[in-house]
Amino acid sequence: MLTVSNYHYIRENFGAPFPSIFGVTPASFEKQIVLLKTTGKFISPDYLTDNLDFILNSADNYILITFDDGLREQYEVAKPILDKHNIKALYFINSINHIEKEVSLVHKIHLVRSQTEPKILLEYIETKLSDCDVKLSENEKQKAVSYYIYDDFNSACLKYLLNFKLTSIQLKNVIDSLFSDKFDSEKIGTDLYMNHQQLQDLANGNMLGSHSHSHFALGLLSPKAIENEMSKTIQFLNSFKENANLTISYPYGTKEACLSPVPQTAAALGHKIGFTMERGSNVSGADKLLLKRFDCNDLLGGKDFKN
Ligand SMILES: [Zn+2]
């Protein structure tokens, strides 16, 4: 059996005027590692790809740690903790952050939201796109509240607008302009993502994997665009070191993000393993290009863990 625990932000302090960046602190990360150690055996990325059938068929629990988005804090904060416990993990990166020195839209959204009151942001977007009629109807507002039960009314409406109402082009335009008004893109990029030397170090240990080029939901793209998104990242990864055990984590990892031909394209381009964000452990018969993962919060030691 294979259990995968996935992480994003790992930092000491998540304080922000309007908290919208969530993750785990180094202390809770280490605490979880120690707890997980009692439930199975940690394995390296190479061990996983070389022994996947054996692992899936085994009654023993094999545990892999993964990180999405190529964040510098994963290397500088989490990796030293893993090194201390002699654990090798997989770090999935987006090549757009390096080749085009561009901050991923998903991170721009997090940063813009962390600095702007939800109500103000909501009004700003509705005004800016007033000729496209993006104002939420009463029915949509109710849906928003029922989707985002942990959020206040305005945050729920804002999330609904960003995630379901705006087209990808509207979203990109409005967030790009808000982001460049408030942030120094180059500085954010340097602070947020791993540098060349850190990527090289991970590549040397076969710990670097693909999260595709631009962090799009691949399943919503054309077959050609999916191939493009994957190929660019492979080429970038190969510039550090060619790795026969190539792996990919599909951005967002939802059903829609992993629709056919996403896993087929991944296999055809040489990825040995693909990871989704479908929750669960993997057992005999699992699709190697659509392996399940747990968000760290849902596993033992995580804040949402329920036994
Ligand atoms: Zn991601």
Side-chain angles (χ1 to χ4, degrees), residues 6-8 67-70 92 94 104 106-107 211 215 249-253 277 293:
N6 188 50
Y7 300 83
H8 289 93
F67 298 90
D68 279 357
D69 297 354
F92 295 106
N94 296 106
S104 303
V106 62
H107 298 137
H211 200 35
H215 206 286
S249 124
Y250 310 112
Y252 306 103
M277 275 316 298
R293 290 189 292 177

Side-chain angles (χ1 to χ4, degrees), residues 164 217-221 226 251-260 262:
F164 297 106
L218 296 172
L220 305 178
L221 305 181
I226 296 170
Y252 306 103
T254 56
K255 255 197 170 61
E256 304 74 47
C258 305
L259 288 175
S260 169
V262 171

Side-chain angles (χ1 to χ4, degrees), residues 24-218:
V24 296
T25 63
S28 43
F29 177 67
E30 183 161 23
K31 206 172 138 200
Q32 183 167 44
I33 294 299
V34 171
L35 277 172
L36 288 176
K37 220 176 188 167
T38 63
T39 68
K41 183 178 184 302
F42 282 107
I43 51 170
S44 70
D46 275 340
Y47 186 87
L48 172 72
T49 29
D50 291 341
N51 303 282
L52 186 58
D53 286 324
F54 165 79
I55 290 167
L56 294 176
N57 289 320
S58 168
D60 296 335
N61 185 29
Y62 291 87
I63 309 167
L64 179 76
I65 301 294
T66 65
F67 298 90
D68 279 357
D69 297 354
L71 304 178
R72 181 184 274 257
E73 61 213 69
Q74 297 166 349
Y75 186 93
E76 293 183 351
V77 180
K79 187 171 176 291
I81 295 171
L82 293 177
D83 288 345
K84 194 173 114 188
H85 291 274
N86 214 1
I87 296 168
K88 278 185 152 195
L90 255 177
Y91 301 77
F92 295 106
I93 63 149
N94 296 106
S95 40
I96 195 173
N97 309 140
H98 305 280
I99 298 173
E100 290 163 40
K101 304 260 176 270
E102 176 77 30
V103 175
S104 303
L105 185 61
V106 62
H107 298 137
K108 286 182 181 171
I109 294 173
H110 291 168
L111 286 161
V112 165
R113 286 187 48 216
S114 73
Q115 300 297 326
T116 322
E117 196 183 327
K119 189 170 187 297
I120 305 282
L121 194 50
L122 198 58
E123 285 167 2
Y124 172 89
I125 297 172
E126 285 176 350
T127 312
K128 179 135 178 134
L129 298 173
S130 56
D131 41 347
C132 307
D133 192 24
V134 297
K135 230 176 155 60
L136 296 186
S137 66
E138 284 310 312
N139 186 21
E140 286 169 324
K141 285 179 188 167
Q142 286 192 358
K143 262 196 209 166
V145 172
S146 65
Y147 275 27
Y148 301 108
I149 51 171
Y150 298 113
D151 290 285
D152 62 61
F153 177 72
N154 285 312
S155 302
C157 290
L158 177 65
K159 281 188 177 177
Y160 187 91
L161 180 74
L162 296 175
N163 294 336
F164 297 106
K165 180 94 180 180
L166 299 188
T167 65
S168 55
I169 293 172
Q170 287 171 336
L171 182 66
K172 184 171 170 15
N173 286 343
V174 76
I175 294 295
D176 274 352
S177 88
L178 280 164
F179 183 77
S180 54
D181 282 354
K182 287 181 189 290
F183 297 96
D184 173 348
S185 179
E186 202 181 314
K187 180 171 179 342
I188 294 285
T190 308
D191 291 348
L192 193 57
Y193 303 113
M194 291 176 203
N195 64 30
H196 190 275
Q197 193 200 328
Q198 294 168 339
L199 294 175
Q200 184 66 62
D201 182 42
L202 293 177
N204 291 344
N206 289 346
M207 291 189 276
L208 211 49
S210 167
H211 200 35
S212 83
H213 185 63
S214 323
H215 206 286
F216 293 146
L218 296 172

